[in-house]
Amino acid sequence: MTDSMTTDSMLAPGSASATDTADWGAALFDPPRLALIGASGKTGKLGALFMRNLLDGYRGELIPIHPSDETILDRRAYASVSAVPGHVDLAVIVAPETAVLSAIEDCAAAGVTAAVIVTGGFAETGPAGKARQDRIAAVARAGNVRLIGPNCFGVINVHTQLNASLGLGLPEAGGVSLFTQSGAYGMAAFSRSREGGVGFAKVVAPGNKIDLGETEIVSYLGEDPDTRVIALLLESIADGAAFVDAVARVTPRKPVVVLKTGRHGAAQRAAASHTDALAGDYRIAAAALRQAGARIVDDGLALLDVAAALDSQPPLRGRRVAIISNSGGTGVELADLLEEAALEVPRLSDDLQARIRAWIPAYGSPANPVDVTTDWPRFADMYGSSLRALLGSGEVDAVVPVLLQRSALMPEVTERVIAETRAARDAGSDCAVHACWVGPEGSEANRRRLLSAGIPCHPWAARTARTLAATVARAVHPRPAPQPPLPEPAGADADGWLAPDAAFACVAAAGIPCAPWRLVDAPEAPIAAVIEAAGEFGYPVVVKAVRPALVHKSEARAVRTGVASDDDVRDVLLDFERRLGPGPALVQKQIGGSLELVIGAKRDPQFGPVVVFGLGGVWVEALDDVAIRLAPFGEEEAHAMLAELRAAKLLDGARGRAPVDRDALARMLAAASRWIARAPWLAELDVNPIIVDGAGFRAVDARVRVGTP
Amino acid sequence: MTDSMTTDSMLAPGSASATDTADWGAALFDPPRLALIGASGKTGKLGALFMRNLLDGYRGELIPIHPSDETILDRRAYASVSAVPGHVDLAVIVAPETAVLSAIEDCAAAGVTAAVIVTGGFAETGPAGKARQDRIAAVARAGNVRLIGPNCFGVINVHTQLNASLGLGLPEAGGVSLFTQSGAYGMAAFSRSREGGVGFAKVVAPGNKIDLGETEIVSYLGEDPDTRVIALLLESIADGAAFVDAVARVTPRKPVVVLKTGRHGAAQRAAASHTDALAGDYRIAAAALRQAGARIVDDGLALLDVAAALDSQPPLRGRRVAIISNSGGTGVELADLLEEAALEVPRLSDDLQARIRAWIPAYGSPANPVDVTTDWPRFADMYGSSLRALLGSGEVDAVVPVLLQRSALMPEVTERVIAETRAARDAGSDCAVHACWVGPEGSEANRRRLLSAGIPCHPWAARTARTLAATVARAVHPRPAPQPPLPEPAGADADGWLAPDAAFACVAAAGIPCAPWRLVDAPEAPIAAVIEAAGEFGYPVVVKAVRPALVHKSEARAVRTGVASDDDVRDVLLDFERRLGPGPALVQKQIGGSLELVIGAKRDPQFGPVVVFGLGGVWVEALDDVAIRLAPFGEEEAHAMLAELRAAKLLDGARGRAPVDRDALARMLAAASRWIARAPWLAELDVNPIIVDGAGFRAVDARVRVGTP
């Protein structure tokens, strides 16, 4: 029973079986028969643009659909898809908005496998358009027609030369498949491919995403042999948890690079006004996608740069980079930027330096950056020999030849860089080679030669450093299997908040150690009862007033620390009663320590249970220095959370304080995440602070809210 | 007396008078008569390249110098500069390294005003070369010949077409003057100017900088009417304090943009190996230059982008940016990136939105980003009208038309953008206009048109956001006038450390409030004496063991907080004596508070007295979250320091804590900086922590080391 539950909950709701995906995938990207609804022969019409784009390269049977014309551009046309004899795999709809619903009805009647609705005028125009769009979605669902669109740029398969899109001509061929929610970005990516350096397998712009979206397309592209790298520009994510699952299944096999736009206020306002999708909480989305192994970038050019780099060179197995430059200044500039991007430019071993020194002038440097000086007649040999030595050294994970001005102009330098890279690759090296390219007029042919040989040419030093840093291989830790849900605790107040003792019970159940505490509810003799409890723990103690709706306790002065005597207890309880009215008190042993930790959890409507971890009480809020993950996660992931905090150093001890036991902390975080994932009734958890005491740690305050979203 | 001291100390040591600068400046960049030492007519020779470069545009008299040839390329040649009749303003030396010393001797004998030594083979090759270089410097100094070089790219004055450099041809003309310590970067900048968008006034590559360097050149360019923006690529700074003074004098009149390379380990290693300059502490240099009003960039392309943008558009008066786009997706992307670069993309007023709405389709957005949709036949009018409305609105400080794909291809869009920008500029608007350019093939003519009209075209969204953010107008606060030095306190130990009471006296003199303290040195009855002192302050107190060389007190457990009774005093002192031996104790009232501040100071060998301020005891070290300034500075600058801390929010109170009095804090910081500037004997000051108690704050620990560097 447990096993079958586990299996069920692993499958995201609505996720299609592999067979289904293969069916619509083949129909969408490699259709034997394609009907163009709204086809036209008249120049200037959208239907004519699509006719020409399809006639240009599409190898299957193109069937124009038109209400009255019998031939279009010499092709036999039909009045409807139902009128076409035999099965139609894909319908591409460019007909006017008013004709789209009937076209989809027609597709459903004819058993068309998939349709791309290019036509706009739906949800993006307002509520009436949204209603029309919903109608279309219902008809397609009932008729089992899978949809891309409406209001989209279309679909491209470069390898089969299928261009069912608004783009004029096909982009260059390569291994990058692009999913872009911005049609204009699709066109810009196309232009960019003409400049060299990025080649595409498939391009799909899903428009308003009424059916197939990022989750389905990533799953399909993950199995597609022509796709080596998946790049996504997302304005919205339809189902966060399902998308994360899909990405996690793909990243062990091929890189997934994601740009999410609409991260901030103005952008969210714009996204909401120009599509019907509202942006979610970006930080959770980014953390969840990273956890699933995706690489996150911040802008559209970086999306293409990083995807193209991963398509042509292996990811960096580590962070060590060697630079070979004919400009000392640019070598220095690049070294700075690489280190600022968290890469390393290590000093080379004496042996390797000695070998490189033999090839370069005495006033050059073999240390790294390797400075071959301006002795240009020997550039080819110096670049080539240094590159060979570095690729064979095992001392670095990538080599960056800086090709700047004269070295960029010399074809013999280019040829040596290509030859040495090939030879190393043939010999089994997985050390990456990326050129930093600052070429003058007249050097374009050399750049093209390098690109054709699969060596990225990043313009100038900053873009080189940024792209290289984004291609470092990442450890992705599989998430633990889900466990059966736990029963919901009783006794929440009207807003769902648990009483403090119940909250502490949750925290303890989650595996987070708590400072000893006791709830004292003795209306007749409250002072005596608290004094008795304090006597058990030993002074000093902490006394907290327990009253309904006292959520921000320290702001209401409802917590007293350092209560050191029976007299103190009396003073505190009288003060509580005067200001807050009578009620129970929670007494807790006071824990000393110089460092505070925070664990929080919430249920994100998009991504499900989320765990937040940070250091240092008020500092967490002031610095926003937190690590975020979807629950559950394992101990390795928890270690990664500790490492990514800016204040991580504090865990290692400071000013004589002992280091925190990171293993114990990671075990605790992972255990808490497993518990949180099993508590579907948990709306909010805030354990703050957890006080570090020597190598150990104990929670001293906790708030828990229950309630299904 | 005080006045004359002030004036003297304002002049950096070695800084030339304005007359001197005008003399060598004119000789260097606009020489009526120029001697080329090492001239040649033989193609492939450096002397021939320089002959051709000079013959190409130089309008003065070019005099070749050659040991034997009597004419070179039809010009009368002389055997030496001394043999030339009349005064020679500039000598450009491309002769072999072995001939350079005699050439300089010759220049000195002939009374040449300035010389550019292009020839390499000096300090960059090792100690022997350094010795040869020092000899040359001495001869030139004695003969009053001002020098650029050796080992340099040369000098260019684009406006007079003087090309005394290794560059082939002149770069495009403009208002940017470039000082580059990397010759290769000079060539790359030249290539970049050919692509459009950056134009140069003067270019100088100072090579090994044996005489004229960044300080002298910035001072000259500051007065040069052809120079509107100064861009510097620095690998080293010869005299930090003098350079900062020079920059501070220029920035009120024209922008200074600085790239400092050699910021990190590997880069510093390379810089040291390929020039003879060691990199200083980058953070201090960057802070000092920012304080002087310079704009700091991190890479060479940004140096050109930012300088060019400031040459063609006004700096942004504030942070508010409007976007006009034909791609909703790119508008969103750019809005995200602008907000991540600390700019704002504000929602436009209802009135302004209503006006823009009248020009754009119903499914567009006037909110900001303004989304004009893909309705391309109306692009020119929609871009033009929106731009006009935004430029006249006063609601934004910059407008960014995104010209992407089709809008970039349409000359009528370009023309309207240019016309509206001109009209607004003519009407007195200082709202900046920058295009975000993602143009396809065939759009280059439009890009060139925008650039010619002074509208920067930043490629793609990320570079647009980064460049725009670097052009925001910056408040530069003049530094207080220096005051006479204070006497050095007595009683330092062998390492220069002051005893705790003397240290606290310094801190109090610097205007930093201290918690009440007393040094108890009573060898006969130490316990009774401490108990007496504690009685005055009232328990709890802090007791610190005072022993020579006990610098890191908390690590030696030589500080006890929470000493709450006479018995506690006895225990603590006995423990100190057992572990640390007998000695005095410092007793201090214990201050409670939830926030700690840190003030530090040191004397930087390059920049002089430096003040460091941060929040939060151990957090300062863990996060490296500090604000750095040269002392002295005023209260406005101190407010800027508070604002730039990542943890600045904590000053505003948290969890019921009162906000810190920022004005009092700024006053205290400024006062401390004035005191520090008056203490030339101060090697190191560390006031940590200063405990915030309500709105006030008091130092509870301080270390002071004296000693001249």
Side-chain angles (χ1 to χ4, degrees):
Chain A
M1 183 61 192
T2 304
D3 277 349
S4 86
M5 278 186 67
T6 304
T7 311
D8 283 343
S9 59
M10 290 286 282
L11 262 187
S15 78
S17 74
T19 320
D20 284 350
T21 302
D23 284 352
W24 63 250
L28 196 56
F29 290 108
D30 202 11
R33 302 183 82 214
L34 184 160
L36 178 63
I37 302 178
S40 171
K42 291 184 195 134
T43 307
K45 289 253 182 186
L46 196 61
L49 171 72
F50 270 75
M51 277 300 289
R52 241 183 314 271
N53 278 350
L54 287 163
L55 286 169
D56 252 8
Y58 171 53
R59 297 164 192 167
E61 185 185 347
L62 171 60
I63 306 159
I65 307 294
H66 190 278
S68 53
D69 291 2
E70 293 193 356
T71 60
I72 292 179
L73 298 176
D74 299 333
R75 296 275 167 147
R76 162 80 195 272
Y78 294 85
S80 69
V81 178
S82 312
V84 178
H87 179 69
V88 169
D89 304 281
L90 179 66
V92 175
I93 302 175
V94 296
E97 176 266 310
T98 47
V100 173
L101 177 61
S102 63
I104 290 294
E105 287 167 344
D106 184 27
C107 288
V112 169
T113 310
V116 176
I117 309 175
V118 175
T119 309
F122 296 93
E124 78 278 13
T125 65
K130 174 76 164 65
R132 289 195 299 275
Q133 177 175 303
D134 289 346
R135 184 85 194 282
I136 287 166
V139 169
R141 203 178 305 116
N144 202 26
V145 183
R146 301 311 298 260
L147 289 185
I148 291 284
N151 183 36
C152 81
F153 173 77
V155 169
I156 289 172
N157 182 345
V158 181
H159 292 273
T160 65
Q161 298 190 42
L162 168 71
N163 181 4
S165 85
L166 290 162
L168 301 167
L170 288 168
E172 302 298 311
V176 177
S177 282
L178 174 67
F179 174 97
T180 169
Q181 232 176 313
S182 161
Y185 180 81
M187 289 196 248
F190 168 88
S191 293
R192 177 74 189 72
S193 87
R194 286 293 168 89
E195 294 165 11
V198 58
F200 294 99
K202 297 181 169 66
V203 179
V204 51
N208 296 3
K209 300 198 298 194
I210 53 177
D211 177 18
L212 298 171
E214 56 281 352
T215 302
E216 295 80 8
I217 298 293
V218 158
S219 300
Y220 170 78
L221 295 174
E223 303 294 333
D224 174 35
D226 290 338
T227 298
R228 289 187 298 257
V229 180
I230 302 172
L232 301 106
L233 185 157
L234 302 174
E235 294 183 354
S236 64
I237 297 171
D239 179 336
F243 181 53
V244 164
D245 280 352
V247 168
R249 278 192 288 267
V250 171
T251 52
R253 294 192 310 277
K254 54 182 88 172
V256 175
V257 191
V258 177
L259 167 63
K260 170 74 178 68
T261 64
R263 302 190 284 271
H264 304 287
Q268 288 184 10
R269 188 171 63 230
S273 71
H274 103 276
T275 78
D276 66 325
L278 279 168
D281 183 334
Y282 175 66
R283 293 182 67 184
I284 291 174
L289 288 169
R290 273 199 201 95
Q291 188 178 354
R295 290 157 200 273
I296 310 291
V297 295
D298 294 333
D299 73 275
L301 189 55
L303 180 64
L304 295 180
D305 283 350
V306 173
L310 289 166
D311 186 25
S312 56
Q313 286 292 312
L316 272 56
R317 294 294 153 206
R319 302 194 158 268
R320 303 164 304 164
V321 181
I323 300 168
I324 309 171
S325 180
N326 58 323
S327 155
T330 307
V332 168
E333 180 195 3
L334 180 58
D336 274 335
L337 294 164
L338 289 169
E339 298 199 12
E340 283 161 14
L343 295 172
E344 296 153 19
V345 184
R347 187 181 173 286
L348 303 177
S349 69
D350 291 343
D351 177 58
L352 185 52
Q353 286 199 45
R355 276 193 291 150
I356 293 173
R357 198 186 295 276
W359 301 307
I360 64 175
Y363 58 98
S365 170
N368 194 17
V370 173
D371 180 0
V372 303
T373 79
T374 53
D375 188 9
W376 63 267
R378 300 178 50 225
F379 273 177
D381 190 45
M382 294 192 294
Y383 271 93
S385 303
S386 304
L387 180 56
R388 186 174 58 235
L390 288 162
L391 288 174
S393 70
E395 295 185 21
V396 290
D397 306 298
V399 183
V400 181
V402 176
L403 298 173
L404 178 137
Q405 300 296 114
R406 201 189 275 264
S407 56
L409 279 167
M410 293 169 66
E412 57 271 43
V413 174
T414 302
E415 292 309 332
R416 278 299 296 275
V417 168
I418 293 171
E420 296 298 348
T421 305
R422 281 213 179 114
R425 203 67 77 237
D426 290 346
S429 164
D430 63 356
C431 182
V433 177
H434 291 246
C436 170
W437 183 262
V438 190
E441 281 176 284
S443 62
E444 178 63 11
N446 289 335
R447 192 179 73 95
R448 292 278 177 175
R449 243 171 247 136
L450 285 162
L451 293 175
S452 298
I455 298 174
C457 292
H458 307 296
W460 293 75
R463 211 160 130 194
T464 306
R466 190 181 64 167
T467 306
L468 213 59
T471 67
V472 175
R474 300 185 44 222
V476 179
H477 309 298
R479 289 170 64 188
Q483 299 291 320
L486 297 163
E488 178 172 341
D493 70 11
D495 295 324
W497 293 105
L498 294 185
D501 53 332
F504 272 113
C506 282
V507 171
I512 303 170
C514 298
W517 55 271
R518 185 194 294 177
L519 182 74
V520 179
D521 190 5
E524 303 80 28
I527 293 169
V530 168
I531 286 171
E532 188 200 323
E536 269 178 46
F537 297 139
Y539 286 114
V541 296
V542 180
V543 183
K544 307 176 188 183
V546 177
R547 306 287 186 279
L550 250 191
V551 171
H552 295 290
K553 282 184 292 295
S554 63
E555 281 165 24
R557 286 181 294 133
V559 176
R560 288 296 176 84
T561 59
V563 178
S565 65
D566 295 356
D567 281 355
D568 278 3
V569 167
R570 192 180 326 271
D571 292 348
V572 167
L573 289 189
L574 290 174
D575 175 61
F576 283 171
E577 185 162 349
R578 195 173 62 246
R579 290 188 298 107
L580 309 170
L586 192 133
V587 186
Q588 193 165 35
K589 183 165 177 56
Q590 180 158 334
I591 306 287
S594 53
L595 183 62
E596 297 182 354
L597 313 175
V598 175
I599 297 176
K602 68 171 218 174
R603 189 155 302 270
D604 183 81
Q606 272 266 27
F607 293 94
V610 173
V611 176
V612 176
F613 175 70
L615 296 186
V618 294
W619 290 87
V620 171
E621 290 161 36
L623 297 172
D624 218 6
D625 180 22
V626 293
I628 300 174
R629 293 295 187 279
L630 298 192
F633 52 81
E635 287 174 33
E636 283 177 314
E637 194 71 44
H639 272 288
M641 293 175 80
L642 304 185
E644 84 182 38
L645 295 173
R646 284 202 299 265
K649 247 190 241 181
L650 289 177
L651 295 173
D652 302 328
R655 297 207 190 154
R657 192 165 47 66
V660 181
D661 182 342
R662 283 197 186 218
D663 290 336
L665 198 51
R667 270 196 306 278
M668 182 267 278
L669 269 170
S673 83
R674 287 192 302 269
W675 182 87
I676 288 159
R678 295 179 65 190
W681 40 263
L682 180 72
E684 202 179 329
L685 169 79
D686 185 24
V687 190
N688 182 10
I690 298 169
I691 291 185
V692 173
D693 179 16
F697 39 84
R698 277 176 289 184
V700 302
D701 203 4
R703 299 186 302 136
V704 175
R705 191 165 61 82
V706 301
T708 27
Chain B
M1 184 61 190
T2 304
D3 277 350
S4 86
M5 278 187 64
T6 304
T7 310
D8 283 344
S9 60
M10 290 287 282
L11 265 186
S15 78
S17 75
T19 320
D20 284 351
T21 301
D23 284 352
W24 63 250
L28 196 57
F29 290 110
D30 202 10
R33 302 183 81 214
L34 184 160
L36 179 64
I37 302 178
S40 172
K42 291 185 196 132
T43 307
K45 289 254 184 185
L46 197 60
L49 171 71
F50 270 74
M51 277 300 289
R52 243 184 311 273
N53 279 349
L54 286 162
L55 286 169
D56 251 6
Y58 171 53
R59 296 163 193 167
E61 186 185 345
L62 171 59
I63 306 159
I65 307 293
H66 190 276
S68 53
D69 291 2
E70 294 193 356
T71 60
I72 292 177
L73 298 176
D74 298 334
R75 296 273 165 147
R76 164 79 196 273
Y78 293 84
S80 69
V81 177
S82 312
V84 178
H87 178 69
V88 169
D89 304 282
L90 180 65
V92 176
I93 302 173
V94 296
E97 177 265 310
T98 48
V100 173
L101 176 59
S102 62
I104 290 294
E105 286 167 344
D106 185 26
C107 288
V112 169
T113 311
V116 176
I117 308 174
V118 174
T119 310
F122 296 94
E124 79 277 12
T125 63
K130 175 76 164 63
R132 289 195 298 274
Q133 176 175 304
D134 289 346
R135 185 83 194 281
I136 288 167
V139 169
R141 203 178 304 114
N144 200 28
V145 183
R146 301 309 300 260
L147 289 185
I148 290 285
N151 184 35
C152 80
F153 173 77
V155 169
I156 290 172
N157 182 344
V158 182
H159 292 274
T160 65
Q161 298 189 44
L162 168 71
N163 182 3
S165 86
L166 289 162
L168 300 167
L170 288 167
E172 301 297 312
V176 177
S177 283
L178 174 66
F179 174 97
T180 169
Q181 234 176 312
S182 160
Y185 180 79
M187 290 196 249
F190 167 89
S191 293
R192 177 74 188 73
S193 88
R194 286 292 169 87
E195 294 165 11
V198 59
F200 293 100
K202 296 179 170 65
V203 178
V204 51
N208 295 3
K209 300 199 297 194
I210 53 176
D211 176 18
L212 298 170
E214 55 282 351
T215 301
E216 295 80 9
I217 299 292
V218 157
S219 299
Y220 170 79
L221 295 173
E223 303 295 332
D224 173 36
D226 290 338
T227 298
R228 289 188 299 258
V229 180
I230 303 172
L232 302 105
L233 184 158
L234 303 174
E235 295 182 353
S236 65
I237 297 173
D239 178 337
F243 181 54
V244 163
D245 280 352
V247 168
R249 277 192 289 267
V250 171
T251 51
R253 295 192 310 276
K254 56 183 86 173
V256 175
V257 191
V258 178
L259 166 63
K260 172 72 178 69
T261 64
R263 302 189 285 271
H264 304 289
Q268 288 183 11
R269 188 171 64 232
S273 71
H274 102 278
T275 77
D276 64 326
L278 278 168
D281 183 333
Y282 175 67
R283 293 183 67 184
I284 292 174
L289 289 169
R290 274 198 201 96
Q291 187 177 355
R295 289 156 200 275
I296 310 292
V297 295
D298 294 333
D299 71 276
L301 189 55
L303 180 64
L304 295 180
D305 283 350
V306 173
L310 289 166
D311 187 25
S312 57
Q313 287 291 312
L316 272 56
R317 295 294 153 203
R319 301 195 160 268
R320 304 164 305 166
V321 181
I323 299 167
I324 310 172
S325 180
N326 59 323
S327 155
T330 307
V332 168
E333 180 195 4
L334 180 58
D336 275 334
L337 294 164
L338 289 170
E339 299 200 12
E340 284 161 13
L343 295 172
E344 297 154 18
V345 184
R347 188 182 173 284
L348 303 177
S349 69
D350 290 345
D351 176 59
L352 184 53
Q353 285 200 44
R355 278 193 291 150
I356 293 172
R357 197 184 295 278
W359 301 308
I360 65 175
Y363 57 99
S365 169
N368 193 18
V370 173
D371 180 359
V372 303
T373 78
T374 54
D375 188 8
W376 62 269
R378 300 177 51 226
F379 273 177
D381 190 46
M382 294 192 295
Y383 272 93
S385 304
S386 303
L387 180 55
R388 187 172 60 234
L390 288 162
L391 288 174
S393 70
E395 295 185 21
V396 290
D397 305 297
V399 184
V400 180
V402 176
L403 298 174
L404 178 136
Q405 299 298 112
R406 201 190 274 263
S407 57
L409 279 168
M410 293 169 66
E412 57 271 42
V413 174
T414 301
E415 293 307 335
R416 278 298 295 276
V417 168
I418 293 172
E420 297 298 348
T421 304
R422 282 213 177 113
R425 202 66 77 236
D426 290 346
S429 164
D430 63 356
C431 182
V433 177
H434 292 244
C436 171
W437 183 264
V438 190
E441 280 176 285
S443 63
E444 178 63 10
N446 290 334
R447 191 179 74 94
R448 292 278 178 175
R449 243 170 248 138
L450 286 162
L451 293 175
S452 298
I455 299 173
C457 291
H458 308 294
W460 295 75
R463 211 159 131 194
T464 306
R466 190 182 63 165
T467 306
L468 213 60
T471 68
V472 175
R474 299 186 42 223
V476 179
H477 309 299
R479 288 169 63 189
Q483 300 291 320
L486 297 164
E488 179 173 340
D493 70 11
D495 295 325
W497 293 105
L498 295 185
D501 53 332
F504 271 114
C506 282
V507 171
I512 304 169
C514 299
W517 56 272
R518 186 193 294 175
L519 183 73
V520 178
D521 190 2
E524 303 78 29
I527 293 169
V530 168
I531 286 172
E532 187 200 322
E536 270 178 48
F537 297 140
Y539 286 114
V541 295
V542 180
V543 182
K544 306 176 188 182
V546 177
R547 304 289 187 277
L550 249 190
V551 170
H552 294 289
K553 282 185 293 294
S554 63
E555 282 166 21
R557 284 181 294 132
V559 176
R560 287 296 177 83
T561 59
V563 177
S565 66
D566 296 356
D567 283 354
D568 278 4
V569 168
R570 193 180 326 272
D571 292 348
V572 167
L573 289 190
L574 291 174
D575 175 61
F576 283 171
E577 186 164 346
R578 195 174 60 246
R579 289 188 298 109
L580 309 170
L586 193 134
V587 187
Q588 192 165 36
K589 183 165 174 57
Q590 180 157 335
I591 306 288
S594 53
L595 184 60
E596 298 182 355
L597 313 175
V598 175
I599 297 177
K602 70 171 217 175
R603 189 157 301 271
D604 184 82
Q606 272 267 26
F607 293 94
V610 173
V611 176
V612 176
F613 175 69
L615 296 185
V618 293
W619 290 87
V620 171
E621 290 161 36
L623 297 171
D624 218 4
D625 180 23
V626 293
I628 300 174
R629 293 295 186 281
L630 299 192
F633 51 80
E635 287 175 32
E636 283 176 314
E637 195 71 43
H639 271 288
M641 292 175 80
L642 303 185
E644 85 182 39
L645 294 173
R646 285 202 299 265
K649 245 190 242 179
L650 288 177
L651 295 173
D652 302 327
R655 298 209 190 149
R657 190 165 49 68
V660 180
D661 182 342
R662 284 198 185 217
D663 290 335
L665 199 50
R667 270 196 305 279
M668 181 269 277
L669 269 171
S673 82
R674 286 192 302 269
W675 183 88
I676 288 159
R678 295 179 67 190
W681 40 264
L682 180 73
E684 202 179 330
L685 169 80
D686 185 24
V687 190
N688 181 11
I690 299 169
I691 290 186
V692 173
D693 177 16
F697 38 85
R698 277 176 290 184
V700 303
D701 203 4
R703 296 186 304 136
V704 175
R705 190 165 63 82
V706 303
T708 27

